[in-house]
Amino acid sequence: GGRPMHDSRTCTLRIAGLPRDMPVDRLREELGQLASTHGNVRRVVVNILDNKREGVVTFDEPGMADNARRKMHKSYFFEHPLDVELDLNAGMSSAIGDRDRGGGGGYAKVAERDRGGKTLDLIEEMDDALATCRLSISDLHPSVQDAEVERVLKPYGAIESIYIRRDSFSAGCTADVKLRSLTSSVRAKRELDGTTLLRGLGGRAPRVEFRMGPPCNELWVGSVHGSVTEQVVKSRFEEFGKVLGVRILRGSKSSHVSFDTTAMAEKAARGMRGRMLGTSNWRLKIDFWERGGERVERGGGGMWNAAPPP
């Protein structure tokens, strides 16, 4: 009985039993976040073999891989028991190769190519401290309308609002878009920045950047690990002023933090962006949160609101 002892000189795990109904991008992200609780992850790949998904996760060090195997094997991942084994054929070459190429920072780097040959770095980009659910798409043609922006952004996920700002000085315009999820925003920025799917000013490709909402006394805090409690969030954010309340949204790995004043919230946003909570190495994303999803902006252009934020 019992599992055999392994010669743990490998940094790589092979993981079976993954859910089949989850989009591959999200599966890769969730698997990377789970693995990162057990060590520094260098690479995450999801292979599809005969309608089954297999994850391949490479850590910085063999000890991290061995620890992750012990903790993750037979554990439940979205109600699916995982079958986790050390990949003894991989050796240490994967991690060494990534390190020699300058990989690092954050909890994971995905090095996989889609059918078009474009490198997918979703997990690395999810660890970008500047990432929010909001995008600013600038250098758009002045005739661009809300419906056109919606058509291009809709494949990435639910859209909460679109606001077109007309710039009389440059003759162009900027679209401020808020998506429902951080994953949707990161994917949209990665795939749309520098492309001509939206009409640009003077034939140029529009620029897509993360942005924050207008300052208020409430913050949205993203990348909150499941091990983090409301008390941990409160104690860290109280360093910047009086906290009126904290609410953790487990399903979206985020939290709302309410301050006594807007100035306190602004100070906390500057101080906590990119920081880590508890024992997790997930970098926090910070944005201002408007209750009910409504906001008023002026400057010309249109705006529509979909469902309010969860």
Side-chain angles (χ1 to χ4, degrees), residues 95-139:
I96 294 172
D98 279 348
R99 189 179 299 114
D100 289 345
R101 287 191 295 271
Y107 55 84
K109 180 174 182 179
V110 176
E112 184 175 345
R113 296 187 179 276
D114 63 14
R115 292 172 184 169
K118 183 176 181 180
T119 300
L120 303 180
D121 292 326
L122 180 65
I123 290 181
E124 183 178 67
E125 291 165 6
M126 286 292 291
D127 206 38
D128 183 351
L130 299 179
T132 71
C133 295
R134 303 174 195 267
L135 296 175
S136 175
I137 308 173
S138 57
D139 291 337

Side-chain angles (χ1 to χ4, degrees), residues 41-55:
V41 177
R42 305 295 296 188
R43 187 168 183 259
V44 178
V45 172
V46 174
N47 297 318
I48 301 177
L49 306 168
D50 298 327
N51 203 31
K52 296 181 180 179
R53 276 96 179 274
E54 178 194 56

